[in-house]
Amino acid sequence: NLSSGKKLCNALQSMGTTFIKLGQFLATRPDIIGEGIAKDLEKLQDKLPAFNLNVAKNILRDEIGKENFEQIKNISEPIAAASIAQVHFAEINVSGINKKVAIKILRPNIEKIFNEELDALMLLAYIVEGIVKKTRRLKLVEVVHLLREITNVEMDLRFEAAAANELYENTLNDVGFEVPKIYWNQTSKKVLCLDRINGISIREIENLKSLNIDTKKLAKNVIQNFLRHAVRDGFFHADMHQGNLFVSKNGIIMPVDFGIMGRLDKANRKY
């Protein structure tokens, strides 16, 4: 009785991390797969099965050390879970002030699982290119190599923290755009700690309209901010799908998930 979109979603989820990533990409392209299927695949962006809270606490303690771990209070159950990591809400003590934060934690053994799946995909790409000559123009092997490069960076959350910090500093004076602050004492290879944002997902259009937020103006602001960062700074959020953008009650755009960023050199910016 399931829709074709839900069947596809369940199939991709059961096939593992690499295919979940593919589903996440497809969810951002309703122009290719249709609105209905894209809507069903949105679940793959942040609503996957989570791992246990105690496992998350053990990873936290091992990664950041006992002293920094003890500064974290009221760790919540997972509030979002994606293919590579999940997110918890908590509070940390910074210079005597309690800060509300979000803590992103990598899934256990995710690097091993992902690399095994990529090895299988690589073998498949070589076989397809070897047997069906016409597929060589698609450069399947190159695509898998690129996927491996991108995800190996995504699996070291220090890269994401550094990217978020750079975007935060670049956009401090940008009106209507707010990047959460990073807390480095609670950040490591497998853990990322940053300000908790208070907003509505940009995909919840009816909720945005109920707050009298002008969605056409909001759409324009998303594009303008993206271009500002790309052309002015040469550094931009390269994964701005609807699962990674939130909006405050007064219309401020707040991005999350800084695992995939883009850079443009001066020549390209000028061009």
Side-chain angles (χ1 to χ4, degrees):
N1 296 324
L2 295 177
S3 68
S4 55
K6 283 180 180 165
K7 286 178 186 173
L8 178 60
C9 184
N10 291 343
L12 291 170
Q13 190 174 320
S14 69
M15 288 161 75
T17 309
T18 312
F19 292 93
I20 290 169
K21 274 278 170 206
L22 173 63
Q24 289 174 347
F25 166 70
L26 289 174
T28 69
R29 298 305 303 270
D31 55 316
I32 294 174
I33 61 171
E35 292 282 350
I37 294 177
K39 196 80 182 160
D40 288 329
L41 291 181
E42 280 180 5
K43 174 190 169 191
L44 297 175
Q45 290 171 348
D46 54 15
K47 294 183 177 68
L48 295 177
F51 57 89
N52 186 276
L53 177 60
N54 287 330
V55 173
K57 285 181 177 177
N58 288 337
I59 294 171
L60 259 178
R61 191 182 291 108
D62 291 344
E63 281 293 306
I64 63 175
K66 188 181 175 186
E67 189 179 330
N68 287 324
F69 175 75
E70 285 174 352
Q71 291 178 347
I72 304 172
K73 307 292 179 196
N74 303 325
I75 303 173
S76 74
E77 291 288 338
I79 56 97
S83 55
I84 286 175
Q86 68 185 35
V87 178
H88 301 256
F89 286 153
E91 292 178 10
I92 62 169
N93 190 290
V94 180
S95 304
I97 300 167
N98 270 355
K99 296 271 187 183
K100 290 185 176 181
V101 295
I103 301 175
K104 182 175 179 178
I105 305 170
L106 287 189
R107 289 183 178 274
N109 303 317
I110 189 65
E111 283 183 89
K112 181 174 179 288
I113 294 165
F114 204 82
N115 281 315
E116 283 172 359
E117 289 178 2
L118 280 173
D119 287 342
L121 264 184
M122 185 67 78
L123 177 61
L124 180 62
Y126 273 116
I127 291 169
V128 171
E129 282 195 0
I131 295 171
V132 187
K133 305 297 184 204
K134 285 182 179 178
T135 61
R136 287 180 185 172
R137 66 187 177 80
L138 299 175
K139 298 184 178 178
L140 298 177
V141 172
E142 278 186 42
V143 169
V144 179
H145 271 302
L146 182 61
L147 185 60
R148 191 189 294 275
E149 277 178 35
I150 290 170
T151 48
N152 280 335
V153 170
E154 268 195 283
M155 285 184 210
D156 187 338
L157 295 180
R158 293 169 297 188
F159 285 112
E160 183 175 345
N165 197 65
E166 186 172 347
L167 193 66
Y168 171 82
E169 290 181 355
N170 287 349
T171 60
L172 268 177
N173 298 318
D174 289 0
V175 176
F177 194 88
E178 196 172 294
V179 178
K181 183 179 171 26
I182 298 294
Y183 295 96
W184 288 100
N185 287 345
Q186 280 75 31
T187 292
S188 71
K189 185 178 180 182
K190 295 180 181 177
V191 176
L192 173 66
C193 181
L194 69 175
D195 275 330
R196 175 178 170 177
I197 59 169
N198 190 13
I200 301 160
S201 171
I202 206 164
R203 67 161 76 107
E204 295 175 19
I205 295 169
E206 294 309 314
N207 282 350
L208 294 173
K209 286 180 176 174
S210 71
L211 293 170
N212 295 320
I213 290 172
D214 184 339
T215 50
K216 285 189 176 180
K217 184 181 176 186
L218 182 63
K220 183 180 175 183
N221 287 345
V222 170
I223 299 296
Q224 289 294 333
N225 276 292
F226 171 80
L227 292 172
R228 187 177 294 117
H229 305 155
V231 178
R232 180 192 66 191
D233 307 322
F235 185 68
F236 57 92
H237 196 304
D239 195 20
M240 285 175 76
H241 63 67
Q242 61 271 47
N244 285 343
L245 291 172
F246 291 81
V247 183
S248 72
K249 289 180 179 178
N250 50 358
I252 294 171
I253 298 160
M254 298 179 289
V256 297
D257 196 343
F258 308 93
I260 304 173
M261 305 296 286
R263 287 191 187 276
L264 287 175
D265 60 26
K266 281 188 176 179
N268 275 303
R269 281 150 62 190
K270 187 178 179 182
Y271 177 77

